[in-house]
Amino acid sequence: MEIEHKGGLVSAHTIDRDSWKQVGLLLVTGYSCGYILSFSNLMLVPLGWTWGIISLIVVAVFAAYSSWLLAGFHFINGQRFIRFRDLMGSLLVRQEMFYVTWVSQILILLITNMGFILLGGKALKEINAEFGGSSLRLQYFIIITGVAYFVFSIFVPTISSMGKWLIVSTILTFTYIGILLAVVIKDGLNSNRVKDYQVRGSDSSKMFNAFCAISAIVACNSAGIIPEIQSTLRSPAVENMRKALHLQFTIGLTFYYGVSIVGYWSYGSAVSEYLPENITGPTWAKVLINAVVFTQSIISQHAFIAPVHEALDTKFLILEKGIHSRANIFRLLCLRALLFTLNTLVAAAIPFMGDFVNLLGSFLLIPLTFVFPSMIFIKVKREAAKTEKVWHWAIIVLFSLLMVVTTIAAVRLIVNNISEYHLFADTRQS
């Protein structure tokens, strides 16, 4: 694979080569990954049916709109922006915005990857339990997952090189979601099952948990890396990115919202933070669901950590050589090993899967998803109608306030859970 030098853009990864269908598959399968198995618990249990469904719809509409808006700023005055941080730093003429955007993205992508590692480890542990295996600690399965992600990142180093792997991921996604829905719906139709949809807790607890749920819904719909994914698309990049986003917010949304809603309908407020723990189906179904979730996560996690790989590869690889060349292979191995060792260590030490998602959606993703695109619009469209500017200023103010409140709620949840966990704990302490 050749190092890219296009139109003054320098990247160790591929630019301007992928079809919108490939990127669309990446978005559909990426957002329909194992994370959705925790969303019934994280998004709907704290909100209940009415506010839960309203929140799902409102956040999805604004996320789709903001993503569509941001995709339109891939080219500004003839200049192409392949990284979100470059776009913010250049347009707002403030170096601080470059670093704020970059640090936010890095934290989002690292936390997301740690969450993937936790989910993969959880899936392996569930398989082990179904076969009556030895009661190995969760940490052993987390290490296995981290090693699997590391190996995949060596053989498939970039988003564009995922190619046929996205077809595999699509098949795996349809497989595990189809089997999961069949078993969960069967459980839900069981007339002997008592369903309780009551939102529990004190008034203050309900309020904070509701805002945590909104954070999770934001994380469900966005990753804050639209320009980085769009950079891989062939011309016309804006039109093609919007086609890919259309797939995400139609087919993809049907999957990840569908599983969340059906899981809550079937098990009510008792739904687990990891949905397969609730199902009462045959052993083969549980094993197959967890095995496919683990395998699919190896592929889907790669899309969300790829911008970090790109930054490290562009900085430390020899750009005149191929990414798998003899001159670069040792550096590539060291960079990937360092990254996945760090992420695996943190995931094993602090297994707060749901808490990561809440903090991710509040302090980091809300600005990147909703606030920054409107800031860009106001800066670029200086001659826009007054009503348009008022609309975007309203978005900035509203979602900035939401960011503050949801961040407070997420930090409160983490503080509460720290008292219930120990470092490298296998399960939550009672």
Side-chain angles (χ1 to χ4, degrees):
M1 180 178 295
E2 295 298 325
I3 305 299
E4 293 288 327
H5 299 264
K6 276 200 161 188
L9 302 174
V10 178
S11 175
H13 291 192
T14 306
I15 300 172
D16 200 25
R17 291 189 186 180
D18 298 343
S19 70
W20 69 267
K21 294 178 181 178
Q22 178 171 328
V23 172
L25 280 181
L26 181 146
L27 293 174
V28 169
T29 58
Y31 283 99
S32 300
C33 62
Y35 262 111
I36 68 175
L37 301 178
S38 65
F39 285 154
S40 297
N41 175 279
L42 294 177
M43 300 191 307
L44 292 174
V45 170
L47 291 169
W49 276 122
T50 302
W51 285 109
I53 296 300
I54 291 173
S55 299
L56 289 176
I57 294 171
V58 171
V59 172
V61 168
F62 274 97
Y65 170 73
S66 295
S67 298
W68 179 89
L69 185 70
L70 184 58
F73 295 124
H74 198 59
F75 293 92
I76 299 176
N77 297 326
Q79 182 179 357
R80 185 175 190 178
F81 293 94
I82 64 171
R83 302 179 185 95
F84 205 163
R85 59 189 184 276
D86 294 334
L87 177 58
M88 291 299 294
S90 176
L91 284 182
L92 300 179
V93 200
R94 292 177 64 89
Q95 197 66 9
E96 293 90 342
M97 289 307 302
F98 173 93
Y99 290 112
V100 166
T101 306
W102 184 217
V103 170
S104 296
Q105 285 186 300
I106 285 288
L107 291 174
I108 286 170
L109 298 174
L110 291 178
I111 292 172
T112 300
N113 192 254
M114 292 171 197
F116 269 112
I117 293 172
L118 284 168
L119 284 164
K122 185 71 172 177
L124 290 179
K125 186 170 184 178
E126 288 294 310
I127 294 172
N128 181 69
E130 288 299 325
F131 283 114
S134 59
S135 56
L136 289 174
R137 295 173 62 84
L138 176 62
Q139 281 70 26
Y140 290 102
F141 299 106
I142 286 175
I143 292 171
I144 293 171
T145 304
V147 171
Y149 290 4
F150 163 73
V151 172
F152 187 81
S153 74
I154 297 298
F155 289 100
V156 186
T158 70
I159 288 180
S160 294
S161 60
M162 293 176 74
K164 295 179 180 178
W165 287 102
L166 289 174
I167 298 175
V168 174
S169 183
T170 302
I171 295 171
L172 292 173
T173 301
F174 288 164
T175 299
Y176 96 82
I177 289 180
I179 297 172
L180 180 70
L181 287 176
V183 177
V184 171
I185 290 173
K186 179 177 178 293
D187 284 349
L189 294 173
N190 185 346
S191 58
N192 296 324
R193 182 180 295 275
V194 178
K195 301 176 186 178
D196 177 15
Y197 301 112
Q198 182 179 357
V199 179
R200 295 183 176 83
S202 63
D203 289 343
S204 61
S205 176
K206 288 179 181 178
M207 181 187 68
F208 282 116
N209 290 341
F211 282 115
C212 285
I214 293 172
S215 298
I217 297 173
V218 173
C220 174
N221 286 282
S222 175
I225 53 173
I226 293 293
E228 286 78 5
I229 293 175
Q230 192 172 2
S231 70
T232 69
L233 280 167
R234 65 175 68 116
S235 183
V238 172
E239 179 183 340
N240 285 336
M241 188 65 205
R242 285 175 171 171
K243 288 180 179 178
L245 288 168
H246 184 263
L247 284 183
Q248 176 195 337
F249 287 101
T250 52
I251 297 175
L253 184 140
T254 301
F255 285 145
Y256 55 78
Y257 272 12
V259 169
S260 304
I261 292 170
V262 171
Y264 183 60
W265 165 77
S266 182
Y267 307 110
S269 299
V271 66
S272 170
E273 194 178 79
Y274 185 67
L275 186 56
E277 291 178 342
N278 286 110
I279 63 178
T280 60
T283 298
W284 69 264
K286 295 182 181 180
V287 171
L288 185 57
I289 289 170
N290 282 292
V292 174
V293 166
F294 171 75
T295 308
Q296 195 263 9
S297 76
I298 296 175
I299 303 171
S300 56
Q301 63 84 29
H302 189 65
F304 297 106
I305 198 65
V308 179
H309 292 326
E310 188 273 338
L312 293 173
D313 294 347
T314 302
K315 176 70 175 179
F316 294 105
L317 297 187
I318 301 173
L319 299 185
E320 290 71 26
K321 304 289 184 179
I323 202 166
H324 281 135
S325 66
R326 182 177 298 179
N328 278 328
I329 190 63
F330 178 73
R331 298 181 183 212
L332 185 71
L333 287 167
C334 290
L335 291 172
R336 298 295 192 270
L338 179 63
L339 177 64
F340 284 108
T341 299
L342 172 65
N343 285 358
T344 302
L345 177 63
V346 175
I350 313 172
F352 297 167
M353 181 168 61
D355 304 353
F356 282 159
V357 175
N358 291 327
L359 186 59
L360 162 71
S362 57
F363 182 64
L364 302 173
L365 266 181
I366 288 177
L368 288 175
T369 303
F370 305 110
V371 177
F372 289 0
S374 287
M375 291 173 63
I376 294 170
F377 179 90
I378 292 172
K379 182 67 176 180
V380 173
K381 306 289 186 179
R382 295 181 180 178
E383 305 302 322
K386 183 178 180 180
T387 54
E388 288 184 291
K389 289 185 177 180
V390 170
W391 165 251
H392 286 283
W393 272 114
I395 290 176
I396 291 171
V397 172
L398 174 64
F399 283 100
S400 294
L401 291 174
L402 183 64
M403 176 196 70
V404 173
V405 177
T406 54
T407 299
I408 293 171
V411 170
R412 175 182 176 272
L413 182 65
I414 290 175
V415 170
N416 287 343
N417 282 351
I418 284 177
S419 66
E420 300 176 21
Y421 270 106
H422 298 292
L423 286 177
F424 298 100
D426 188 26
T427 57
R428 194 182 295 253
Q429 304 301 309
S430 57

